[in-house]
Amino acid sequence: MPPWLPKGGPRLLGERGLTEEQIATIGRWVREGMAEGDPRELPAVPAAADGWQLGPPDLILTMEKPFVVPPGGQEVFRNFVIPSSIGRTRYIEAAELKPTNHRVLHHAMIMVDRTAAARQLDEADPEPGFESMASIGNATMPEGFFLGWTPGRLPFRGRHGLAWRLDQGDDIVLQFHLRPTDQQEEISARVGLYFADRAPTRQATVLKLGSETIDIPAGVTDHLVTDEYVLPIDVEVLGLYPHAHYLARDIKAVAIRPDGTEQLLLHIPEWDFNWQDVYRFVDPVPLTRGTTLVMRYTYDNSSANPRNPHQPPKRVLYGPHSVDEMGDLWIQVLPGGARDLVILQRDFTRKTLRRRIDGFEQNLAVDPAHPTAHGDIANTLMMLGEIEPAITHYRLQLKTNPADGNAHYNLGSALQSRGELNDAIVHYREALRLIPTHASAHNNLGMALQTLGQLEDALHHYRTALSLDSSYADAHNNLGVALLLVGRTAEGIGHLRQAARYRPRWTVPLATLAWVLATHPDNSIRDPAEARWIAERAISLGGEDPELLNTLAAAYAAAGAFEQAVLTIENAIALATAAGDTELVQEMRELEAMYRRREAYREQ
């Protein structure tokens, strides 16, 4: 039986530790000669369906080919892509992973890719899967869940009302942390998915505390790594997943309430890297706004630590490999509603990005000539909307390596976002000189040229981007819009449909497509029913955005449903007014007047 590591804290699902009374009973039994009990009182052996601990799955996905792990050598992070093969959107309440070889698999994560990016990385690698821990396309953990496999971890059926979405065309991505043995090993896996009866009524999210600046001197026995986060909303904590490597000894997670009282959430006084687990509370722990979530991890980098991989001990930094060190705490929380979820995710995203920058800055401190640190810092600053310092770091990156085509592309993107189109074009062209197959550089160069009125040149670069990557949704969208502008409507609509096909949850092509189908002056192109369906789909994905509601109102009017058009655009006007968008409000008031006159809008 795998060891049970937690001590104290709220009750956890699946607790398998022994009480002091149970330990005393076992000791007494041993002292008395270990006599066998009555065989008739033995409980029945649990029956597993084909080895599935949760029973027969609704859908079983299997790796196409096994992967061969060569003997010896360093550990491997390998990602395997499995098409979901579902015909419609389903909601998943549980997933169970069954690997074929436990000897080489240290742990695994189950992710979802909705963009086919991981599939393209897989196809570019001649062996099954592709190697990487960080660059895994756009694969992420399902919304609000942490899914995976470690030795001894029991699959979890899920909580009522919570599930994650799997759409047609999505891929399941398995990331394996493989540790070679002294002989060649083969590994494959199956994933069992269990469908929920209905769509989730609430959505959880995962907060990841941790540090990317870990730096543990040799010989230190009590190195402390901490992180904390102040909740901006009320939440319920559903569970935790701690992660560290061999040097970690004591792991603690606490909540400090606004009145200063401290509540223990999880304590593992003897951490064991080989027996990681997810810990879920029997009863969710309610925490109010202003509560501080805190992780405190203590590391022993001395020769007295029997698990220390370095003998004699040496300085250990943050890193993904087992001989490096990590310190993370994933916390699954449940906000009160959709509005609170948005507030929490936006606030925590900024904290996460700041933490990444700290890690990249440590890379520079350790190695001032680090080949990617300046670019990593700049990319993260761009996500934070801090364009000026990002440009500074991109320029420093190019000073170190002027022949870095990706750095030229990134600097061009930053300059373009600041409106410096001519300078951006210079860097895009240099990026393409260095990397002629850079599809994103062609796409962005096309956008810059289109903004400057050079439509034909823009069309050329959009088409070139698509010749390099036929599933590039952004290029399909941009080409579609450009074609509409030059009057090639049918072709433009076709590319907008392709954009929506390759990024089914992206509202931008859906909004444009719905507007064209609702307002085009040509009766053979206008399709109010489809426009309404597409606009409603966009709103279901993007929320009640005033421009999306404006498009839906135009679709209602095109179909002659003027009362619904008026009600919808009134809602859009209220939202735009609250947002302070006076120009959009004025445009929509003119449309509202038309709908009240029972006139549909036709684009000129």
Side-chain angles (χ1 to χ4, degrees):
M1 182 175 73
W4 184 249
L5 303 180
K7 304 292 183 184
R11 289 178 57 219
L12 298 167
L13 292 170
E15 287 186 0
R16 52 182 182 269
L18 299 176
T19 66
E20 294 298 326
E21 182 181 355
Q22 290 168 329
I23 293 172
T25 300
I26 293 172
R28 186 168 60 252
W29 173 68
V30 171
R31 289 192 300 272
E32 293 174 356
M34 297 183 291
E36 182 179 358
D38 187 345
R40 292 172 298 180
E41 295 181 3
L42 283 172
V45 177
D50 191 26
W52 298 101
Q53 297 182 69
L54 295 179
D58 296 302
L59 177 65
I60 298 175
L61 304 175
T62 305
M63 286 173 51
E64 182 179 352
K65 295 179 181 178
F67 177 68
V68 176
V69 184
Q74 294 186 339
E75 58 198 346
V76 175
F77 290 91
R78 194 83 184 172
N79 304 280
F80 305 95
V81 181
I82 310 176
S84 61
S85 306
I86 59 172
R88 62 183 178 90
T89 296
R90 303 302 299 253
Y91 293 95
I92 314 301
E93 67 178 13
E96 183 176 344
L97 178 66
K98 286 182 61 62
T100 59
N101 187 339
H102 294 195
R103 291 186 301 276
V104 291
L105 183 59
H106 182 267
H107 71 271
M109 293 196 300
I110 304 173
M111 295 173 284
V112 178
D113 183 8
R114 308 188 189 280
T115 66
R119 193 185 314 169
Q120 292 171 10
L121 293 171
D122 191 356
E123 292 169 352
D125 193 305
E127 296 186 70
F130 60 96
E131 187 171 347
S132 177
M133 180 184 180
S135 300
I136 48 177
N138 296 316
T140 59
M141 285 285 186
E143 304 91 342
F145 289 80
F146 26 68
L147 304 177
W149 177 94
T150 54
R153 182 191 299 187
L154 297 175
F156 180 56
R157 190 76 200 192
R159 296 182 187 270
H160 179 71
L162 296 180
W164 52 274
R165 192 190 76 256
L166 190 65
D167 291 328
Q168 182 179 4
D170 288 352
D171 292 324
I172 297 295
V173 180
L174 306 179
Q175 184 178 85
F176 285 0
H177 177 185
L178 301 166
R179 298 197 291 187
T181 66
D182 58 0
Q183 63 185 17
Q184 180 174 290
E185 303 274 4
E186 190 174 273
I187 186 168
S188 184
R190 294 184 295 165
V191 181
L193 299 180
Y194 299 81
F195 298 155
D197 294 334
R198 56 183 68 102
T201 55
R202 300 175 71 184
Q203 183 178 333
T205 191
V206 174
L207 311 177
K208 181 183 175 184
L209 300 184
S211 171
E212 296 181 19
T213 60
I214 293 174
D215 187 346
I216 310 176
V220 173
T221 61
D222 57 353
H223 183 82
L224 184 64
V225 172
T226 65
D227 192 21
E228 60 183 47
Y229 175 65
V230 179
L231 290 168
I233 60 165
D234 297 349
V235 301
E236 294 177 282
V237 181
L238 304 181
L240 305 101
Y241 172 40
H243 176 74
H245 294 175
Y246 288 115
L247 300 184
R249 304 306 295 149
D250 186 278
I251 281 180
K252 185 175 287 186
V254 300
I256 303 175
R257 300 183 182 276
D259 63 3
T261 58
E262 185 173 299
Q263 177 173 358
L264 178 67
L265 297 176
L266 182 72
H267 184 207
I268 299 177
E270 288 293 331
W271 170 257
D272 190 335
F273 181 40
N274 293 315
W275 293 106
Q276 301 178 60
D277 209 338
V278 172
Y279 303 102
R280 298 179 174 89
F281 298 121
V282 172
D283 300 309
V285 178
L287 297 177
T288 58
R289 174 187 177 187
T291 298
T292 304
L293 296 169
V294 182
M295 59 159 272
R296 301 180 186 134
Y297 289 9
T298 304
Y299 297 78
D300 182 351
N301 191 14
S302 72
S303 56
N305 180 355
R307 300 191 180 105
N308 194 333
H310 304 290
Q311 295 294 350
K314 69 176 188 178
R315 177 189 185 190
V316 175
L317 301 174
Y318 172 86
H321 297 286
S322 298
V323 294
D324 303 320
E325 197 48 79
M326 297 182 75
D328 293 318
L329 177 68
W330 282 266
I331 308 172
Q332 186 186 33
V333 301
L334 185 63
R339 181 177 177 275
D340 281 352
L341 176 66
V342 171
I343 292 171
L344 179 60
Q345 288 178 332
R346 286 178 178 171
D347 187 64
F348 197 78
T349 295
R350 296 190 67 82
K351 172 184 170 52
T352 300
L353 295 175
R354 289 293 176 197
R355 190 183 86 163
R356 285 185 195 168
I357 290 174
D358 291 342
F360 298 143
E361 287 178 341
Q362 174 169 289
N363 292 342
L364 276 175
V366 173
D367 177 11
H370 194 286
T372 65
H374 280 298
D376 293 334
I377 292 171
N379 292 339
T380 311
L381 288 168
M382 287 295 292
M383 295 180 200
L384 287 165
E386 299 179 17
I387 300 173
E388 291 299 327
I391 289 174
T392 298
H393 280 282
Y394 284 136
R395 293 194 189 280
L396 288 169
Q397 185 182 15
L398 284 171
K399 186 176 180 179
T400 303
N401 183 7
D404 187 336
N406 285 313
H408 280 288
Y409 163 74
N410 289 331
L411 178 54
S413 299
L415 292 168
Q416 185 172 8
S417 69
R418 201 167 63 174
E420 299 178 23
L421 297 181
N422 290 318
D423 288 343
I425 288 171
V426 170
H427 285 284
Y428 289 143
R429 294 196 187 281
E430 182 63 10
L432 290 170
R433 185 185 71 79
L434 295 164
I435 311 175
T437 57
H438 201 309
S440 295
H442 277 291
N443 177 66
N444 283 21
L445 177 55
M447 289 194 294
L449 292 169
Q450 180 175 332
T451 304
L452 293 174
Q454 301 174 37
L455 263 177
E456 287 303 320
D457 287 341
L459 289 168
H460 164 73
H461 285 286
Y462 295 145
R463 293 191 190 280
T464 304
L466 289 171
S467 72
L468 295 167
D469 180 1
S470 60
S471 64
Y472 192 176
D474 293 67
H476 276 296
N477 178 73
N478 293 335
L479 179 56
V481 171
L483 288 167
L484 292 175
L485 292 173
V486 298
R488 294 156 70 174
T489 305
E491 190 180 355
I493 287 174
H495 282 285
L496 291 172
R497 292 190 190 280
Q498 288 289 82
R501 172 193 169 196
Y502 288 116
R503 281 181 62 184
R505 295 185 61 79
W506 190 25
T507 61
V508 171
L510 294 175
T512 306
L513 186 57
W515 183 261
V516 171
L517 295 174
T519 66
H520 201 278
D522 189 334
N523 291 338
S524 65
I525 292 173
R526 199 167 59 254
D527 188 336
E530 187 183 8
R532 172 183 171 181
W533 183 87
I534 294 173
E536 289 174 342
R537 165 72 175 162
I539 291 169
S540 72
L541 296 171
E544 290 199 336
D545 174 87
E547 294 196 7
L548 293 179
L549 288 170
N550 184 34
T551 300
L552 179 59
Y556 281 136
F562 292 105
E563 291 79 5
Q564 287 176 288
V566 169
L567 290 173
T568 303
I569 204 166
E570 284 178 342
N571 190 10
I573 290 170
L575 290 173
T577 301
D581 192 338
T582 55
E583 184 177 348
L584 179 60
V585 168
Q586 181 57 38
E587 291 176 6
M588 290 193 295
R589 289 207 181 279
E590 294 174 5
L591 292 171
E592 178 192 16
M594 290 183 64
Y595 303 155
R596 291 187 182 279
R597 296 194 303 268
R598 306 187 70 79
E599 297 175 10
Y601 175 74
R602 296 288 179 266
E603 192 71 76
Q604 299 301 312

